[in-house]
Amino acid sequence: MIDKTVFENKIAAYYTLGCKLNFAETSTIGKVLAEQGVRKARPGEKADICVVNTCSVTELADKKCRQAIRRIGKQHPGSFIVVTGCYAQLKPEEVSHIEGVDLVLGAEQKLDILMYLDDLKKKEEGGAVIASQTKDIRTFSPSCSADDRTRHFLKVQDGCDYFCSYCTIPFARGRSRNGTIASMVKQAEEVAAGGGKEIVLTGVNIGDFGKSTGETFIDLIRALDEVEGIARYRISSIEPNLITDEAIDFVARSKRFAPHFHIPLQSGSDDVLKLMRRRYDTALFRHKIEKIKEIMPHAFIGVDVIVGTRGETDAYFEDARAFIESLDISQLHVFSYSERPGTQALKIDHVVDPKTKHARSQQLLDISDRKLHAFYEAHIGQKANVLFEQTRKGGMMHGFTENYIKVEIPYDHSLVNETRQVILEGWNEDKTALVVKIIE
């Protein structure tokens, strides 16, 4: 039995590291505590409870989590610190011994946080650990971010069955699972009812949707497309072997799905893709890009790439660089390979030194800059629909077109969370966005 009086007049601060899925889950944890009367801390306010949702995609991510936890402990002295997320699931004992940590919750327990907070008394030595083995993670916990943003992140899937050689995510989040289409539609309707205009579908491997309910990803997006009140959906990162031609065709003719794709390539070398244990080759990836551009020439395509993986020789990297250069894509997200304990990649010979990793990363970032600049340039002078956001910087506000071009305009509160047709007039001063003129 939960003693709800413990939460009366309490203040909580929330910290999220890592992916958009984490942001959605942190938002849900916040709602759970708010229902018990826990108020979110205002800027500069000392909190009674601190919830830290962590990432563990790289060794650097682990380090950032440790630093953040220690910093939060100093900012909120005496607060009850709860740590959850991927780092907490993978290394719970290590996390429990970070100074100030009182409770460590695994992936299966994070959204049942109320059950484990007890009396909120600080622990003398080491935080309590409540975490299941990865093989026992079975629950799909619905989550949808609902912070002060125009954009909402709807969790449609969790976990992964792929076990790529370099990745720890299946160990941190468990097997692939999802909610029902009906439950996703209901959450989208709630977002619309609350005034939300844009939803990003998020998860660990969202193209695998349906594993636990016998449904399919294409059926999911068809159903969501019928929800009135949502102006647009975006599909977050989706594996190239799971974004079907049928789904691409549907997005092209849909009412609400944006011509915006984020597709992880990870390497443009077929030899490296085999070492990574990816489930596609460069020929399939090229087909997906060409299919999208054939029917949606204006589509924005973001691509994830990892440099410096074990086994990536100079020749393999040159194959990858040339392949990436040849693709009609809009932007690269470049990551340097990080050794992760327990992964099969550690058995691969040929380790890439840090200096080479950095040089390769810079080459791909230069390609990304050129491609993004060319994509924006190609749209100058055209009309577009922009959904404006709350963000206010230096007297300017920003928004995004359907195909993810960032635009800038003098701040006008009446435009927040509103869609307007604009003309894309040209670059702003620092070339980070396009200046627009609203068509009256």
Side-chain angles (χ1 to χ4, degrees), residues 56-61 164-168 266-267 272 275-276 305-312 317 333-361 364:
S56 189
V57 71
T58 63
E59 179 58 40
L60 180 60
C164 298
S165 65
Y166 57 86
C167 186
T168 59
Q266 309 307 21
S267 176
V272 174
L275 291 174
M276 289 178 162
V305 184
I306 302 173
V307 298
T309 56
R310 281 195 176 220
E312 186 186 67
F317 174 74
H333 296 265
V334 183
F335 304 88
S336 290
Y337 168 72
S338 176
E339 307 251 276
R340 308 307 289 139
T343 59
Q344 293 300 306
L346 299 181
K347 299 176 182 178
I348 299 170
D349 291 330
H350 184 74
V351 176
V352 181
D353 65 86
K355 185 177 179 180
T356 302
K357 283 184 192 177
H358 178 76
R360 291 177 182 176
S361 177
L364 297 188

Side-chain angles (χ1 to χ4, degrees), residues 147-151 194-198 386-393 396-400 409-420 438:
D147 294 330
D148 302 326
R149 299 180 62 106
T150 300
R151 197 175 300 125
K197 298 289 181 65
E198 181 176 313
V386 172
L387 179 58
F388 287 97
E389 299 190 345
Q390 180 72 45
T391 310
R392 182 175 187 170
K393 292 183 178 178
M396 305 299 283
M397 68 189 303
H398 296 94
F400 287 88
I409 196 170
Y411 186 84
D412 180 347
H413 182 71
S414 69
L415 293 176
V416 172
N417 202 32
E418 294 293 331
T419 302
R420 293 286 188 273
I438 294 178

Side-chain angles (χ1 to χ4, degrees), residues 376 398 406-408 426-435:
Y376 273 46
H398 296 94
K406 187 177 184 180
V407 308
E408 183 177 279
W427 291 100
N428 65 356
E429 189 172 335
D430 57 4
K431 289 199 170 185
T432 57
L434 295 185
V435 176

Side-chain angles (χ1 to χ4, degrees), residues 302-305 324 329-334 364-365 367-368 371:
V303 173
D304 287 344
V305 184
I324 291 165
I329 57 177
S330 313
Q331 187 177 30
L332 295 172
H333 296 265
V334 183
L364 297 188
L365 288 170
I367 292 173
S368 179
K371 287 186 178 292

Side-chain angles (χ1 to χ4, degrees), residues 81-314:
I81 299 178
V82 183
V83 182
T84 188
C86 290
Y87 183 33
Q89 176 66 35
L90 287 171
K91 300 178 181 178
E93 291 299 329
E94 179 178 305
V95 173
S96 73
H97 287 93
I98 297 173
E99 184 180 355
V101 172
D102 298 290
L103 176 63
V104 180
L105 294 180
E108 187 81 342
Q109 291 78 26
K110 70 173 73 171
L111 295 181
D112 291 326
I113 186 170
L114 282 181
M115 295 174 57
Y116 307 110
L117 290 179
D118 297 328
D119 55 8
L120 297 179
K121 287 185 178 178
K122 294 287 293 178
K123 301 295 184 290
E124 292 289 329
E125 292 184 15
V129 174
I130 305 172
S132 303
Q133 295 290 318
T134 301
K135 64 181 177 60
D136 297 323
I137 299 173
R138 294 283 185 270
T139 305
F140 177 81
S141 302
S143 299
C144 185
S145 67
D147 294 330
D148 302 326
R149 299 180 62 106
T150 300
R151 197 175 300 125
H152 287 64
F153 296 93
L154 174 62
K155 174 182 169 183
V156 301
Q157 182 273 344
D158 201 349
C160 186
D161 295 343
Y162 274 20
F163 293 92
C164 298
S165 65
Y166 57 86
C167 186
T168 59
I169 298 302
F171 305 107
R173 285 198 170 263
R175 292 286 188 166
S176 180
R177 57 203 185 277
N178 55 272
T180 64
I181 289 176
S183 68
M184 299 303 150
V185 168
K186 184 172 185 293
Q187 288 180 83
E189 290 173 342
E190 290 171 354
V191 170
K197 298 289 181 65
E198 181 176 313
I199 293 177
V200 180
L201 308 187
T202 188
V204 176
N205 189 359
I206 66 172
D208 210 27
F209 178 90
K211 271 287 182 74
S212 51
T213 57
E215 298 169 311
T216 64
F217 182 73
I218 185 69
D219 288 337
L220 170 67
I221 61 177
R222 281 177 178 146
L224 290 172
D225 200 46
E226 298 301 321
V227 176
E228 296 294 336
I230 300 299
R232 62 173 68 145
Y233 294 96
R234 298 189 190 276
I235 299 171
S236 68
S237 183
I238 184 166
E239 294 288 303
N241 54 304
L242 294 177
I243 178 68
T244 63
D245 288 1
E246 183 182 18
I248 294 169
D249 287 332
F250 176 78
V251 170
R253 66 175 188 272
S254 72
K255 291 178 281 190
R256 296 180 171 87
F257 275 83
H260 176 195
F261 297 86
H262 192 111
I263 310 175
L265 170 62
Q266 309 307 21
S267 176
S269 160
D270 283 324
D271 295 286
V272 174
L273 288 175
K274 289 175 184 174
L275 291 174
M276 289 178 162
R277 297 187 178 179
R278 301 293 284 168
R279 300 193 179 195
Y280 53 87
D281 58 15
T282 54
L284 182 141
F285 195 91
R286 184 183 295 281
H287 164 72
K288 297 302 179 183
I289 301 303
E290 291 177 349
K291 170 72 176 177
I292 291 168
K293 284 296 186 175
E294 178 187 352
I295 58 177
M296 290 174 278
H298 59 304
F300 184 102
I301 304 176
V303 173
D304 287 344
V305 184
I306 302 173
V307 298
T309 56
R310 281 195 176 220
E312 186 186 67
T313 63
D314 290 345

Side-chain angles (χ1 to χ4, degrees), residues 13-66:
Y14 302 94
Y15 300 88
T16 307
L17 298 99
C19 64
K20 299 299 188 291
L21 181 54
N22 272 4
F23 279 91
E25 291 175 338
T26 301
S27 180
T28 299
I29 291 171
K31 282 190 276 187
V32 168
L33 292 180
E35 287 170 358
Q36 305 304 319
V38 179
R39 179 172 62 77
K40 185 177 180 180
R42 301 184 182 99
E45 194 172 26
K46 297 292 187 292
D48 303 298
I49 306 167
C50 293
V51 179
V52 189
N53 197 355
T54 61
C55 174
S56 189
V57 71
T58 63
E59 179 58 40
L60 180 60
D62 288 359
K63 181 180 179 180
K64 287 182 177 179
C65 289
R66 291 190 293 271

